[in-house]
Amino acid sequence: MKIFEACADSLLGHGVDVMFGLMGDANMLYVANYRERGGQFVAVVHESSAVAMADSWSRSTGRVGVATVTHGPGLSNTMTSLMEAVRSRSQVLLLTGDTPAEPTHFQRMDISSFAQAAGAGYDKVHRRETLGRDLNRAFQRVVAERRPVVLNIPVDLMLEDAGYQSPVSPAIHSSPSVPAIDDLDAALGLVASAKRPIVLAGYGAVLSRADEALRALAESLAASVATSVLAKDMFRGHPSNLGICGSLSHSVAAAAIAESDLIIAFGASLNVYTTFHGELLADKHVVQVDIDPGRFGWYLPASEYIAGDAAVVAAPIAPARPSPIAPKPPMVVKRRASGTSMRGQTAFVKRPISLTIVRSDGSTSSSLRQAVRTSTVSTAVWSLYSASGR
């Protein structure tokens, strides 16, 4: 058995039943053998599409998506989609290979530096006898590091005898641990004292499949729910769903978010789009939950941080309130200049605007100043309930 045959055999052994790519000198031998053995190869017309397809396939299935391209410009063409996969923490393995060991080869490039520039992991098959081990490690790194890995299989190895290879070792997913209660004290204090909490889900919560856990948490806290753009529709059908949080929020959601006093963010980076450049988080506490502590405070500081899986962390937070809070009085939104409550109407206003939140008990708040910034917006004047959404 040759190295290219052992490569195809190992990929199938890892359960790779579909692979995306564009064939060239670096990969055509194992791609052809992979197809002969029953693997499905989805050919693309541009290398960037191969990584984008593997990324989308991985997000849809929860499995590692595999893409393969040739060396030189074949690899450099993947930069944009590879960076997107990195920033989305997608499970993608990108296979490529060094050019022949000839310093004058026109397509030579430093694959390690390329992967580093994209933010992806990098690994290499150094010797023919380590192919199986190196593929095992690459799959394990994709799963463990939650980011794409570029694996370099030099073209000079392809026709060598494979010899003995390490057996396939399936990648092992980590078992999320439950944070110690002592580590949650400060965060639980904020949750227990909040009057209008909002549970915010980001893409990390999608990866964690935390929708049911977060719905249960919101119910126990009588909290509204919202998502980032990448977690859109996670709470579809929930009675307290505010939709997207941030620059794409509708005016009613923006009002409710502005009136909240605590945001519990699960797997959300809290970037400028989700926080409306930080304005939606002003004057409120924020608890940020993420499995990767390196993402804490990347865009904006939070009041408290909890390192852990979204689905796992939600459970110990839920009992922070002894009992669900009674719904707050409903709110209506009106233009300050009008002096009347335009309940049931729609106002078309030009920016900048100044909105006042008027609760049914007569108290007001102007914390939503300029929350609607589009040049012409339709401000629906609805009857809102606060955190409970009832």
Side-chain angles (χ1 to χ4, degrees), residues 182-358:
D182 290 345
D183 296 334
L184 300 178
D185 273 351
L188 291 177
L190 294 179
V191 173
S193 61
K195 296 180 179 179
R196 297 175 182 271
I198 290 178
V199 173
L200 172 64
Y203 185 58
V206 176
L207 293 177
S208 174
R209 289 166 168 71
D211 51 336
E212 291 301 323
L214 297 187
R215 285 170 181 259
L217 173 63
E219 187 68 23
S220 69
L221 301 181
S224 295
V225 292
T227 71
S228 67
V229 173
L230 290 180
K232 181 179 179 291
D233 292 335
M234 186 174 190
F235 299 120
R236 177 187 288 273
H238 193 283
S240 302
N241 184 22
L242 297 174
I244 295 175
C245 175
S247 55
L248 294 179
S249 295
H250 53 73
S251 56
V252 176
I257 294 167
E259 280 289 283
S260 68
D261 56 358
L262 173 68
I263 302 291
I264 315 173
F266 291 86
S269 65
L270 302 178
N271 62 40
V272 295
Y273 303 107
T274 303
T275 66
F276 204 31
H277 298 274
E279 292 185 27
L280 289 178
L281 301 189
D283 303 322
K284 55 175 59 68
H285 292 297
V286 177
V287 175
Q288 186 176 7
V289 180
D290 203 292
I291 198 168
D292 180 6
R295 294 179 177 268
F296 289 154
W298 182 253
Y299 291 98
L300 293 168
S303 309
E304 294 293 335
Y305 302 103
I306 302 176
D309 178 82
V312 174
V313 171
I317 293 181
R321 283 266 187 65
S323 60
I325 301 176
K328 294 291 188 297
M331 302 180 296
V332 294
V333 182
K334 70 175 184 179
R335 286 190 64 184
R336 177 178 296 168
S338 70
T340 60
S341 172
M342 301 186 298
R343 184 188 297 270
Q345 302 178 36
T346 299
F348 290 88
V349 297
K350 298 284 187 178
R351 70 168 180 159
I353 66 171
S354 181
L355 300 179
T356 299
I357 307 301
V358 184

Side-chain angles (χ1 to χ4, degrees), residues 41-170:
F41 179 69
V42 179
V44 300
V45 297
H46 191 281
E47 291 83 358
S48 183
S49 299
V51 176
M53 288 180 181
D55 181 5
S56 300
W57 186 88
S58 175
R59 298 191 202 193
S60 300
T61 64
R63 298 163 57 192
V64 176
V66 179
T68 178
V69 298
T70 192
H71 38 230
L75 177 60
S76 62
N77 280 344
T78 67
M79 177 59 86
T80 299
S81 53
L82 183 59
M83 289 181 66
E84 171 62 24
V86 167
R87 295 182 181 185
S88 297
R89 295 184 282 183
S90 295
Q91 299 181 104
V92 173
L93 178 61
L94 174 57
L95 304 177
T96 187
D98 272 332
T99 57
E102 168 55 56
T104 62
H105 197 288
F106 290 137
Q107 293 185 344
R108 69 188 185 280
M109 68 179 289
D110 186 342
I111 299 176
S112 174
S113 297
F114 171 86
Q116 182 179 19
Y122 171 77
D123 228 316
K124 180 178 181 178
V125 178
H126 292 278
R127 303 187 308 276
R128 62 178 178 82
E129 60 267 25
T130 66
L131 172 69
R133 182 198 68 183
D134 297 335
L135 271 168
N136 286 342
R137 184 176 63 245
F139 275 101
Q140 184 60 57
R141 287 187 60 191
V142 169
V143 170
E145 299 175 17
R146 301 173 74 99
R147 65 168 176 165
V149 169
V150 178
L151 179 62
N152 175 4
I153 311 175
V155 68
D156 279 346
L157 296 179
M158 290 297 165
L159 294 176
E160 292 192 14
D161 289 330
Y164 173 78
Q165 295 291 331
S166 298
V168 169
S169 177

